Amino acid sequence: MGSELVPVGRVGKPQGLDGGFFVEGGSGRRDAFEAGATLYAEGEPATVVAARHGSGGRPVIRLDRKVERGAELAVARASLPPLSEEDEFYVFQLVGLSVVEEDGRLLGRVREVLEYPANDVLELDSGASLPLVEACVRQVDLAGGRIVVNAGFADPQ
């Protein structure tokens, strides 16, 4: 069932005495952390029984069962809302795509998408890191399995 789940955060440090905790690296999808929502913790379903926002606007939630700190929190892929624009994508869909420069030079495959305050960064299996910004990324072709980037953003190998 792992491929049917999409990570939306991790169990962070405890908050309060009732079993609540901060969600680390929480998705921008606020409805995933609302009371009554179903999350998957350690691959097993859990219901959010209490939710609020803590310091820095980070979600603080309590589940209907105990989960270990650091456990991945996920939602069912089928529960994701459909994207409204043709050029929209979910970040998790980028993992595994080939990354090529406009001249066709293969830079590698996306190993991970890292979240930073200014912008997300594509971490490639070749060791290269590319900013997920319009000046760098020219095209995301999900159907073709590739991302086309502007030349000059990756160091020559």
Side-chain angles (χ1 to χ4, degrees), residues 88-153:
E88 286 184 323
F89 52 85
Y90 285 108
V91 170
F92 73 85
Q93 293 175 301
L94 304 180
V95 175
L97 296 184
S98 296
V99 178
V100 296
E101 286 187 330
E102 290 175 304
D103 65 4
R105 181 170 77 112
L106 177 65
L107 300 176
R109 291 190 173 275
V110 178
R111 182 177 62 209
E112 190 176 0
V113 180
L114 305 173
E115 197 176 308
Y116 289 104
N119 55 267
D120 291 346
V121 172
L122 300 172
E123 179 98 0
L124 306 186
D125 59 5
S126 63
S129 296
L130 301 170
L132 188 55
V133 296
E134 194 172 330
C136 176
V137 176
R138 308 313 279 164
Q139 178 189 29
V140 174
D141 180 6
L142 294 176
R146 70 184 194 142
I147 298 172
V148 179
V149 298
N150 206 350
F153 275 89

Side-chain angles (χ1 to χ4, degrees), residues 41-112:
E42 302 165 328
E44 297 297 322
T47 301
V48 177
V49 295
R52 63 183 176 83
H53 295 290
S55 62
R58 291 187 302 165
V60 175
I61 64 173
R62 184 167 44 93
L63 299 176
D64 63 350
R65 64 182 179 85
K66 183 173 174 33
V67 292
E68 294 297 317
R69 186 171 180 179
E72 182 177 85
L73 299 171
V75 295
R77 185 180 301 251
S79 74
L80 296 174
L83 299 172
S84 58
E85 301 292 323
E86 187 175 306
D87 62 347
E88 286 184 323
F89 52 85
Y90 285 108
V91 170
F92 73 85
Q93 293 175 301
L94 304 180
V95 175
L97 296 184
S98 296
V99 178
V100 296
E101 286 187 330
E102 290 175 304
D103 65 4
R105 181 170 77 112
L106 177 65
L107 300 176
R109 291 190 173 275
V110 178
R111 182 177 62 209
E112 190 176 0

